[in-house]
Amino acid sequence: MKNTLLYFVLILILFTSCSQKSYTALYREDTRLAQNEIKYNLPKNLLKLEIVYTLNEPRVFKNGKDQALTSSTTKITIEDPLKISKLLVADRSKTFVLKGAQVAEDYFLNPDEYADTANTETVSDVCVQNISRTEAVLKSSFTDSSKEAQAYRSVIEILDNLSRIKTKVDADYTLDLVSMYKSKITTVNEDFKPYIRKSKIKYTVIIDPSASESPTGQWAVLSNGNIQHTIYPKHIFKENTELIDTVTIVTPNIENYRLAHLEDKDAVEGLVYRSPSSENFSVKLNNQLLDGDALQLSQFGTMKVITVDELISDADSDILLFKSKDTHKATGQSETIASLNDTVELLDFDSNETIEASQIAIKNEYEEKLKKIDLLINKLKARKKEL
C-alpha cells in the first residue's frame, strides 16, 4: 500500500513539474489555441527615410528679362543629409504559439498601441556632402541643352583618343567637327546669363528592408545574398524633370535567417526570441557608400530559446515580444504605417541666395569648356603637322 501511494506521489510530482514547462511551436492557420496558449510575434524594424530633393530649374536672364530656359530640363539632386529612423513593429511573417507555463501579458507589447507611440529611433543622419561628383552634374550641365551636352561629350572623347588620328585627312575632318562643336556651346555674357533656381521638397517613405517586393517609387532586387532597395520616386515630380540621384539601402536577405530550432520539429522547449543583430545594413547614393553610424535591424538577430523562468527572473532583459492579433483586428497598425508610407512636403527655401552663385559657377564652367575645346584645336593642329 505504501509503495502504491509513493508511486502516485511521484507521478503527481512529475506531472506538476512537466506542467510548469513551456514549449514554442510555429502557428499555422488551422491551429486551435488552448486556454493556456499564447500567440506572439517577434520584433522587426521598418526604415523611415526622409530625403530632401533639390529641384534645379534652369532659367536665364536674357537681355535683362528673367525667363525659363526651355532647352534644358529641371535636374533633381540630393544635396542635404539623409535622415534614417527605425520603427519597431511586430514581424508577422512568422507567428509563434507558447504552450504550457503562462507568461504575464505585461511581457507582450500591443502592436497597435506600440505603433501609435511612434517608437522611432533616429539612427543616422547620413552625410552626402563628401560624395564625389562627375562632370555630369556640374552647374553648367543643369542649363546645357541636349545638343550642347552631346557636343562637349564628343570633345572630351576626341581629346582622350588623339592617337587614333593617323592621317592629315582625319585631322582636317576632326578639326572641322570640333569647330562645329564649339559653335554649339553657349556664349555667356551680360545679355545671356543662365542660372539655376533651386527649390526643395522633403520626401518621406517607410520601407520594409526585409521584403523583396516594393511599391511605386522603389524596387528591390536580390544580389549576392543581399536585398538592394532603390528609392526612385519619379512619380512625385512633374514631367520634363530628370532625377539624377538615387538612394539604395542594402540589407542581408532575411531568407538566410531561418529558425533552425523549429525546423522538422513540432515544438521546442522554452520561448523563442531574437537576440540583438550583429549584421549591418548600408546606404548608398548612386552606388557610392555613404558615411554613417553602424546600422542594424532587429529581424537579422539570431533566433534563440529561453525558459519562462529565465525570462521572468531577468529584470534587465531586453527581449521584446509582440502579442499576436488576428489580421482583421490589426488593421490599425498597418493603416498607421501605410499613412506614412509616401509623403511629400514643400520646404521653405530662399532661392535668391543661390542665383548669383550659380551664375558665377555656370559662367566659369562655360569658360573652362571653351578653354578645353581651344586646347583640343591646338593639339589637333599640332597632330596634323606631325603626320
Side-chain angles (χ1 to χ4, degrees):
M1 181 67 179
K2 288 182 179 180
N3 290 337
T4 302
L5 182 59
L6 181 60
Y7 171 77
F8 282 111
V9 169
L10 290 173
I11 290 296
L12 180 61
I13 292 172
L14 181 60
F15 177 78
T16 303
S17 174
C18 289
S19 66
Q20 295 303 310
K21 291 184 178 181
S22 59
Y23 297 85
T24 300
L26 280 172
Y27 176 80
R28 296 177 176 82
E29 291 299 323
D30 58 351
T31 302
R32 291 189 177 184
L33 296 182
Q35 205 166 23
N36 67 336
E37 295 178 345
I38 301 173
K39 281 198 308 179
Y40 72 95
N41 298 107
L42 302 179
K44 75 172 181 179
N45 288 122
L46 304 179
L47 291 179
K48 178 181 177 182
L49 282 77
E50 296 173 72
I51 305 172
V52 176
Y53 286 102
T54 300
L55 284 70
N56 300 276
E57 179 192 358
R59 299 188 66 82
V60 64
F61 286 106
K62 189 174 182 180
N63 298 321
K65 184 180 179 180
D66 183 14
Q67 60 189 57
L69 193 59
T70 56
S71 59
S72 188
T73 59
T74 295
K75 309 296 193 302
I76 302 165
T77 56
I78 297 174
E79 302 172 5
D80 297 89
L82 311 179
K83 183 176 181 180
I84 302 176
S85 304
K86 292 193 296 189
L87 304 178
L88 193 64
V89 299
D91 183 357
R92 290 179 178 152
S93 63
K94 285 187 177 67
T95 298
F96 299 90
V97 179
L98 180 64
K99 306 178 180 183
Q102 290 292 301
V103 177
E105 289 203 358
D106 294 346
Y107 284 93
F108 295 91
L109 301 168
N110 185 314
D112 296 338
E113 292 176 0
Y114 210 62
D116 291 340
T117 61
N119 182 61
T120 305
E121 175 192 359
T122 300
V123 291
S124 188
D125 284 332
V126 184
C127 182
V128 301
Q129 263 64 29
N130 296 329
I131 290 296
S132 62
R133 297 290 190 177
T134 65
E135 286 190 280
V137 288
L138 290 173
K139 289 288 191 300
S140 59
S141 72
F142 294 158
T143 55
D144 281 347
S145 67
S146 58
K147 289 182 179 179
E148 283 179 294
Q150 180 58 50
Y152 191 65
R153 283 196 295 269
S154 299
V155 166
I156 298 302
E157 186 176 354
I158 294 171
L159 194 58
D160 292 338
N161 293 277
L162 280 175
S163 60
R164 293 188 179 184
I165 298 174
K166 303 294 186 183
T167 66
K168 289 186 177 182
V169 173
D170 288 342
D172 283 333
Y173 173 79
T174 307
L175 273 168
D176 290 341
L177 195 62
V178 172
S179 297
M180 185 269 291
Y181 288 151
K182 184 177 180 179
S183 70
K184 300 292 183 183
I185 303 299
T186 300
T187 301
V188 178
N189 52 40
E190 288 302 311
D191 295 326
F192 191 88
K193 298 168 67 176
Y195 74 93
I196 299 299
R197 175 184 289 172
K198 289 178 177 285
S199 59
K200 292 180 182 285
I201 64 170
K202 182 170 75 172
Y203 177 65
T204 302
V205 63
I206 293 178
I207 68 169
D208 183 347
S210 53
S212 56
E213 296 180 1
S214 298
T216 303
Q218 306 170 39
W219 68 82
V221 295
L222 294 176
S223 176
N224 298 322
N226 294 322
I227 303 178
Q228 297 190 19
H229 299 264
T230 299
I231 313 300
Y232 191 82
K234 180 68 175 174
H235 63 287
I236 70 173
F237 300 109
K238 297 178 181 178
E239 293 183 1
N240 201 36
T241 59
E242 184 180 351
L243 186 53
I244 300 294
D245 293 330
T246 57
V247 176
T248 302
I249 306 292
V250 182
T251 66
N253 181 8
I254 199 168
E255 289 299 319
N256 297 331
Y257 291 74
R258 300 184 181 277
L259 179 56
H261 299 87
L262 290 181
E263 288 181 354
D264 303 323
K265 296 179 183 179
D266 292 330
V268 294
E269 184 178 341
L271 182 143
V272 175
Y273 72 99
R274 274 196 182 112
S275 65
S277 170
S278 60
E279 292 281 353
N280 294 337
F281 69 92
S282 57
V283 185
K284 295 181 179 181
L285 182 67
N286 305 333
N287 293 321
Q288 295 190 56
L289 193 64
L290 299 181
D291 295 330
D293 301 327
L295 306 173
Q296 298 174 340
L297 298 171
S298 295
Q299 53 265 51
F300 300 121
T302 304
M303 297 276 195
K304 294 184 177 180
V305 176
I306 188 174
T307 68
V308 171
D309 288 341
E310 289 172 332
L311 175 67
I312 295 173
S313 63
D314 186 358
D316 298 324
S317 173
D318 58 358
I319 294 175
L320 292 175
L321 306 171
F322 279 92
K323 185 189 302 181
S324 181
K325 302 187 74 173
D326 294 333
T327 304
H328 68 279
K329 294 180 181 178
T331 54
Q333 180 191 349
S334 59
E335 287 173 359
T336 301
I337 294 170
S339 67
L340 294 172
N341 203 39
D342 193 350
T343 61
V344 179
E345 176 187 353
L346 181 63
L347 301 179
D348 289 333
F349 181 77
D350 188 358
S351 61
N352 292 324
E353 294 182 358
T354 62
I355 289 176
E356 185 177 355
S358 70
Q359 285 179 328
I360 294 172
I362 290 168
K363 184 174 184 296
N364 291 339
E365 287 167 13
Y366 271 118
E367 289 175 353
E368 286 300 315
K369 287 180 180 180
L370 290 173
K371 285 180 182 178
K372 191 161 286 189
I373 292 174
D374 288 338
L375 173 65
L376 175 58
I377 290 173
N378 290 332
K379 285 191 173 185
L380 284 168
K381 289 178 179 179
R383 179 68 175 167
K384 181 181 176 181
K385 287 181 179 180
E386 293 174 359
L387 299 172

